[in-house]
């Protein structure tokens, strides 16, 4: 029982999906049906009248997607039509010949016709067809209806073809405008690539030069100065500043962040320089100042067995 219910649910779901697809396709065909009866002019100029609209990349992209979908729908609609211009011309020639044959003839009069004039509408096995004027008029009426259908097909085909060309023209204009809109971005991106390469090369040259000098002047005081704290600080700050500027160019860091970081680095460098100028002879590694708080002296412990008070021999005897 459960299996049957599941199977019925799956079948119902598939039927709903097929119905939705058919409704969608019928809706698209109804939308494109008007393109078979009239020619629509290019819509790009009407859609993008203002200069601000031409620079709106989002609007350009939406317009391009809509026109692309329309182009696919029109091409799909085009499969139902064909150019029957040759058939219509040939049929008109046959109609003129038939009308010329029955001109000023009575309806019951029999006329010998060439079978090629009516073989598509009246099946004959002979090279000549013996038909009455009335029969020929019925054939002419049928041929005129067929010709009207062909003319309608030809008109729809030409309208669709013209509309497809106009949509393609819109797409070409939209693509050109998108390229023009993105051209500054492409140039800026190319500039970022080149500036990144240049800054990377500058950092590489700096580091190679630093270690090369240290290696060549290993017995000299210069290498010791470069390997000291001041030398390493200089290299680190230089690389940091280059990296920060590069991040700013690549829009990784923005104006406020860049100003904060660069001002912090500038304050650190200037603070180091001012402190070095105010204390030129200062010990680079000063001993911390001793504590100014005096060390408390512990109270003396009283003697449990004090000695008796003896007279001082240096003082006169007051009793005598």
């Amino acid at each position: 029982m459960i299996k049957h219910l599941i199977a019925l649910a799956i079948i119902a779901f598939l039927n709903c999906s097929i119905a939705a697809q058919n409704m969608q396709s019928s809706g698209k065909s109804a939308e494109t049906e008007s393109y078979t009866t009239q020619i629509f002019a290019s819509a790009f100029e009407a859609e993008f009248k203002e200069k601000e609209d031409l620079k709106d990349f989002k609007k350009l992209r939406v317009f391009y997607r809509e026109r692309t979908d329309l182009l696919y729908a029109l091409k799909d609609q085009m499969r139902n039509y064909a150019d029957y211009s040759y058939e219509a011309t040939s049929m008109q020639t046959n109609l003129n010949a038939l009308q010329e044959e029955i001109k000023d003839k009575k309806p019951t009069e029999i006329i010998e016709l060439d079978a090629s004039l009516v073989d598509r509408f009246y099946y004959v096995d002979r090279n000549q067809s013996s038909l009455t004027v009335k029969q020929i008029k019925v054939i002419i009426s049928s041929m005129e209806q067929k010709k009207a259908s062909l003319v309608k097909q030809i008109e729809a085909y030409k309208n669709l073809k013209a509309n497809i060309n106009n949509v393609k023209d819109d797409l070409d204009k939209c693509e050109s405008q998108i390229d023009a809109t993105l051209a500054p971005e492409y140039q800026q991106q190319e500039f970022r690539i080149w500036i990144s390469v240049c800054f990377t090369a500058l950092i590489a040259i700096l580091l190679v030069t630093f270690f090369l000098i240290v290696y060549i002047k290993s017995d000299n005081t210069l290498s010791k100065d470069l390997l000291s704290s001041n030398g390493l600080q200089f290299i680190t700050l230089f690389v940091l500043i280059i990296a920060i500027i590069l991040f700013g160019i690549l829009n990784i860091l923005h104006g406020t962040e860049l100003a904060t970081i660069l001002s912090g680095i500038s304050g650190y460098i200037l603070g180091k320089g001012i402190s070095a100028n105010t204390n030129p002879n200062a010990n680079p590694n000063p001993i911390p100042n001793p504590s100014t708080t005096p060390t408390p002296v512990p109270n003396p412990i009283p003697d449990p067995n004090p000695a008796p008070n003896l007279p001082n021999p240096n003082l006169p005897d007051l009793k005598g």
Side-chain angles (χ1 to χ4, degrees), residues 291-297:
S291 177
T292 57
T293 305
T295 303
V297 180

Side-chain angles (χ1 to χ4, degrees), residues 293-314:
T293 305
T295 303
V297 180
N299 295 325
I301 300 173
D303 192 358
N305 298 315
N309 295 329
L310 298 176
N312 191 353
N314 296 323

Side-chain angles (χ1 to χ4, degrees), residues 1-12:
M1 183 68 180
I2 296 175
K3 292 182 178 179
H4 291 294
L5 291 176
I6 293 173
L8 290 174
I10 293 173
I11 293 171

Side-chain angles (χ1 to χ4, degrees), residues 22 24-34 73 76-77 80:
N22 291 333
Q24 186 176 6
S25 61
S26 63
K28 288 184 177 180
S29 61
E31 290 177 0
T32 57
E33 191 66 30
S34 59
D76 187 64
Q77 187 78 1
N80 301 324

Side-chain angles (χ1 to χ4, degrees), residues 119-149:
D119 59 354
R120 295 184 182 180
F121 304 94
Y122 190 85
Y123 297 99
V124 292
D125 296 329
R126 299 172 300 171
N127 292 330
Q128 296 290 330
S129 302
S130 299
L131 300 173
T132 63
V133 173
K134 185 177 180 180
Q135 290 175 328
I136 294 174
K137 286 183 177 180
V138 172
I139 293 173
I140 289 174
S141 176
S142 177
M143 291 177 67
E144 286 177 345
Q145 292 178 1
K146 181 65 175 177
K147 180 193 170 186
S149 176

Side-chain angles (χ1 to χ4, degrees), residues 64 90 129 133 177 192 202 241 274 289 294 305:
Y64 186 84
S90 177
S129 302
V133 173
Q177 186 59 41
R192 290 172 183 173
L202 182 60
I241 291 173
I274 292 172
N289 293 329
N305 298 315

Side-chain angles (χ1 to χ4, degrees), residues 56-66 174 178:
D56 190 349
F57 178 71
K58 183 178 180 181
K59 188 175 181 180
L60 287 168
R61 188 172 54 186
V62 171
F63 179 80
Y64 186 84
R65 183 173 63 251
E66 290 176 352
C174 189
I178 289 174

